[in-house]
Amino acid sequence: MQREQDVLTAASMYYLQDMTMEAIAKHLHTSRSTVSRLVKRARETGVVEITLRPPQGRAPGLGQQITARYGIDAWVVPVPDVTSQIDRLDQVSMTAARLLSTWFDSEMVLGVAWGTTLAAVAQHLTRKPTRGSAVVQLNGAANTRTSGVHYAGDLIAAFADAYGAHAHYFPVPAFFDYAETRSAMWRERSISRVLDVQRRADVALFSVGAISGGLPSHVYSAGYLEPGDIETLDAEGVVGDVCTVFLRADGTYSDIALNDRATGPTPAELRRIPQRVCVVAGDNKVAPLHAALRAGVVTHLVIDEVTARALVER
Amino acid sequence: MQREQDVLTAASMYYLQDMTMEAIAKHLHTSRSTVSRLVKRARETGVVEITLRPPQGRAPGLGQQITARYGIDAWVVPVPDVTSQIDRLDQVSMTAARLLSTWFDSEMVLGVAWGTTLAAVAQHLTRKPTRGSAVVQLNGAANTRTSGVHYAGDLIAAFADAYGAHAHYFPVPAFFDYAETRSAMWRERSISRVLDVQRRADVALFSVGAISGGLPSHVYSAGYLEPGDIETLDAEGVVGDVCTVFLRADGTYSDIALNDRATGPTPAELRRIPQRVCVVAGDNKVAPLHAALRAGVVTHLVIDEVTARALVER
DNA sequence: CCCATCCTTGCACGTTTGTTCATCCAGGTT
DNA sequence: AACCTGGATGAACAAACGTGCAAGGATGGG
């Protein structure tokens, strides 16, 4: 295909030689418009990669405050204070998608949770061709009540597609109805193979679920839980979840009944993954995020400015 | 400095969130112009890094032909056929500078030769902050007849400055008048320290010198050699040089009298550096480039399209 | 305290870029 | 063969961008 070659040529002349698109068009014997499209395609297909490197450690911005307090890498996404929750989610997820593509590379395994936030990230993924990499679903979601782009399978497929990675699905419900079923399934070879891949993950990508307020968290609204379950959670002091594992405000999670039936990795298991990226947008997520930080499951945080401020002022 | 923070914010909003400069200006309470300048500054200071990755191995372009024939990584810089030698040098050196900043990083040592081509590259360097890195001059050039930006010392300083690297100068002439002086100097601790750094280099950057035609090569025009020397070189079948070591068309270089007095690393020594980047622009360099390729001193070639075509058609 | 100098800012302008739309072409279908 | 369909193309327009310029503000030396 001559097209691929032209994409590379146009990108090289535009980004490496600072030529104007008009000049490039003349060289390629085509129109400016086409060159504009070639360059766009170069960005979209990952021929061009744009990386941001925060100047080392200084600057007492919000990000540094969070870094200092929690010992994690924080990326604060600037958004106007007035931005709606939806717009904030959009900005944060786009930023997270771009950052992720600078972190993920060949021969790596990416573990992905699912939910509203992750679906938003998936929409903004930039392509980056890699080899020998894989994407693995971190927690179950097979359920008849969800479908479309929010369906976990499509979400995993979107990540795998963007990176040319192998996809590993996790065909179990978000929560089992009986803990014994989980133990039984975990022994099945088809399932334990996926669990093995999860354990080999180099990067985990997830958000936190809030029990209440703001945009509804899929875990609570998608019909996985019965009304009785939610009351029980409240009574146990649960403030939110990470990968379908519920946490109390202090980051603990043992002796919460539902967790025995959950399918996602516990914080202890999650912590074995070296890089753990948490994407957060929305005020109502401050409490569960704080719990997640206490549980030590986050190494890299991508968060909108407003929520970040709420976090440090807490 | 609030400025650094703003540069990062603007870059993030512009490159990661695809916001328009006008919107960013509103958020930062400043004008579009300032945002434009902030973004520019982000590029110039290395906060933003733009990388091109050629789609793996396919596409039968000129680059692939060279790669296939010589087993090296070739980057062909597209230039109109009509471009003057000077413009070609400009395009190639800009491309080389940008590529180099994607290859070089913290804790690395960069060996740099000098000459017209390298001076051109130095002019286009993009900043990239690194730590623990060093730039070392590969061959001598101390000489009263050169000065200004072409002076080797300034050249090394420009590279070191761009990367925040430590600079190691090599205060010897390009050629000694007596081979014994060289042996004597090589034993001096101040000199052998530099030679040690050279041997630790991870990346070497150099061009090839042509004996005749086109833009004059510094080695021949700057007064390092006597008229008699040049006649002798001709008689010995020399077609050019790499780091002041002269090569015959077949890539051999032993028994060439001048080489005993030269200060640059021989091809054998050069080959110990893992990545060896050769920057070439200008038709008259085809012959010496071919010799350099035969000598196996090149692993990465940055070359303009016209010269590349001349090379493969050779 | 004043002045010279350097650096920064916003405006205005011209240039460069993204995108819509009508058109065209290739490939496959009836 | 005629027809449809999806994708590519260039013209034209509107949006976005870069930069020279003059004004404003800080800095440091007298």
Side-chain angles (χ1 to χ4, degrees), chain B residues 242-260:
Chain B
V242 169
C243 297
T244 65
V245 175
F246 294 97
L247 303 179
R248 297 191 194 86
D250 60 1
T252 59
Y253 58 95
S254 57
D255 302 324
I256 293 175
L258 252 172
N259 286 348
D260 294 335

Side-chain angles (χ1 to χ4, degrees), chain A residues 5 12-13 15-18 27 46-53 59 77-79 91 94-95 98 129 305, chain B residues 5 9 12-13 15-18 27 46-53 59 77-79 91 94-95 98 128-129:
Chain A
Q5 186 63 247
S12 166
M13 296 176 96
Y15 286 109
L16 260 27
Q17 301 173 56
D18 282 350
H27 183 247
V47 171
V48 172
E49 193 176 333
I50 298 183
T51 313
L52 254 70
R53 55 168 65 216
V77 179
V79 291
Q91 299 287 310
M94 184 183 292
T95 305
R98 307 251 167 123
E305 197 174 11
Chain B
Q5 186 63 246
T9 305
S12 167
M13 296 177 96
Y15 285 110
L16 260 28
Q17 302 173 57
D18 282 350
H27 183 246
V47 171
V48 172
E49 194 175 333
I50 297 182
T51 313
L52 256 69
R53 55 170 63 214
V77 178
V79 290
Q91 299 287 308
M94 184 182 295
T95 304
R98 307 253 168 122
K128 169 171 179 170

Side-chain angles (χ1 to χ4, degrees), chain A residues 25 115 177:
Chain A
D177 290 329

Side-chain angles (χ1 to χ4, degrees), chain A residues 155-215:
Chain A
L155 202 145
I156 301 297
F159 280 90
D161 184 51
Y163 300 133
H166 192 61
H168 296 274
Y169 300 97
F170 196 24
V172 293
F175 298 95
F176 284 100
D177 290 329
Y178 305 98
E180 307 87 65
T181 319
R182 187 177 75 160
S183 330
M185 286 298 282
W186 261 217
R187 285 194 301 267
E188 287 294 317
R189 291 241 306 282
S190 66
I191 296 298
S192 80
R193 254 198 301 270
V194 177
L195 293 171
D196 278 343
V197 179
Q198 288 180 1
R199 278 188 280 268
R200 290 208 316 274
D202 302 284
V203 184
L205 184 69
F206 55 92
S207 184
V208 293
I211 287 233
S212 58
L215 295 171

Side-chain angles (χ1 to χ4, degrees), chain B residues 21-153:
Chain B
M21 292 187 176
E22 176 117 32
I24 300 171
K26 212 160 49 182
H27 183 246
L28 293 180
H29 306 294
T30 181
S31 69
R32 275 201 309 292
S33 328
T34 301
V35 175
S36 172
R37 285 185 268 256
L38 286 173
V39 171
K40 184 191 206 175
R41 194 201 205 75
R43 281 193 304 262
E44 287 171 349
T45 58
V47 171
V48 172
E49 194 175 333
I50 297 182
T51 313
L52 256 69
R53 55 170 63 214
Q56 76 284 11
R58 298 189 313 94
L62 266 178
Q64 299 318 117
Q65 286 184 49
I66 296 177
T67 295
R69 186 173 316 180
Y70 297 101
I72 61 172
D73 240 326
W75 191 281
V76 176
V77 178
V79 290
D81 291 358
V82 295
T83 320
S84 74
Q85 296 270 29
I86 305 230
D87 287 342
R88 275 155 64 183
L89 175 59
D90 209 55
Q91 299 287 308
V92 170
S93 56
M94 184 182 295
T95 304
R98 307 253 168 122
L99 288 173
L100 181 65
S101 77
T102 75
W103 290 330
F104 190 69
D105 217 322
S106 291
E107 313 297 338
M108 291 177 79
V109 176
L110 172 67
V112 179
W114 59 272
T116 315
T117 308
L118 273 290
V121 174
Q123 281 195 324
H124 293 294
L125 286 174
T126 53
R127 264 170 195 289
K128 169 171 179 170
T130 67
R131 286 163 330 215
S133 56
V135 175
V136 59
Q137 184 176 339
L138 283 180
N139 49 8
N143 188 296
T144 52
R145 299 203 212 179
T146 42
S147 69
V149 287
H150 296 291
Y151 177 58

